[in-house]
Amino acid sequence: MSPLTGVLREAWGMYRRFAAHFLLIAFILYLVSAAIAALLSLAGVGGAFAALVINFFFTFLLQAALVKAVQDVRDGRVDLSFAETVRAALPYLLPVAGASILAAIGITIGFIVIIIPGLILLTFWSLIVPAIVLDGTPAMGSFGQSWRTVRGYFWNVFGTYVLVFLIYLAFEIVLTLIFAVLPGAGRGFIASVVSGTLIAPFLAIVVSLIYYRLTAAHQGTPPAGYGAPGYPEPGYPPPPGGSGGGGYGSVPGYDAPPAGYGNQPGSNPPPPSYGSPNPPVPDGPAPEGPAPDEPAPDEPAAPGDPWGDATRADTPPPDGGPGGRGTRPDNPPPA
């Protein structure tokens, strides 16, 4: 089975579960970037160039922040706030920017030459950002790291990106139809913010999960963390009273049994009268028949029974002499 089997389903599950966190990061960065760029573009050619630089800056920051957010939530919970995520991504901004620009130049040249080299480079270099942010690989070393990670799984990675592109294309068509009714003045600004906010997190999740899975496949170890195929989902807090180690309490929704449950060591002991030959008489009217302290009448002996005149084991001898409990072989004393 390919290590990328179900990666889109896992990415969608992570996106949906932590949508508030991912969308907040993307929305704030896209909104700030679009607002600054819109203001700078009013200042003529110089302002337009500055707006382009600002857009590049926030694009690379967003990539690093979203990959860092994926790393954060792989244990099943959000540990870093928006500000903490951005601060954690800032040290990787320059390496991500430098590697992304160099990759864009190389991929563009490959597309101009004959298209096929561009697709090959796009696939093999698609993991440079996760290599930098997740493993701390230097900018120049990220190209080799991404290439080695994709090697052996080129067609799996390429096919995954084709599916992602088709999803992205369908989503863009729907957004275009929705925004077609908006006034022309604010249509581009709103469409840019909404499209980037909704799509960028999903793309970052897919790329990050591909990197995690392929790295684990090369190492021959199962990919730890959130929702790996064939492996459990992230660990959730154990239910109240659960031990988390199997049996009661190891399945969500089931609590451990109360203390002393059953007949295991430490369980509830039986009442003192349980199994005693003369249990206490309950309150209320006395039951019919002989009293508990009176000997039961002797049963008639069977013909030829050598023990026919022996005393029953559950009564004392009538004359206080020897015999009584345990004198019949078919009634041995309790152990």
Side-chain angles (χ1 to χ4, degrees), residues 208-236:
S208 301
L209 293 182
I210 289 176
Y211 184 80
Y212 275 120
R213 290 191 178 202
L214 294 186
T215 301
H218 284 294
Q219 295 174 351
T221 57
Y226 186 93
Y231 302 98
E233 292 289 327
Y236 297 98

Side-chain angles (χ1 to χ4, degrees), residues 93-184:
L93 178 59
L94 292 180
V96 167
S100 298
I101 292 174
L102 291 177
I105 294 174
I107 293 171
T108 301
I109 294 174
F111 275 112
I112 293 175
V113 173
I114 195 175
I115 299 180
I116 301 299
L119 293 175
I120 294 176
L121 292 179
L122 176 63
T123 304
F124 275 110
W125 288 351
S126 62
L127 304 180
I128 57 176
V129 176
I132 294 172
V133 177
L134 300 179
D135 284 343
T137 308
M140 298 306 298
S142 64
F143 291 91
Q145 177 67 25
S146 177
W147 192 287
R148 289 189 296 271
T149 304
V150 176
R151 185 174 55 195
Y153 301 98
F154 174 86
W155 291 111
N156 303 105
V157 177
F158 181 76
T160 301
Y161 289 149
V162 170
L163 293 177
V164 171
F165 174 75
L166 295 177
I167 295 173
Y168 170 78
L169 186 62
F171 186 76
E172 283 291 333
I173 293 175
V174 173
L175 283 183
T176 301
L177 295 176
I178 293 175
F179 291 127
V181 299
L182 297 178

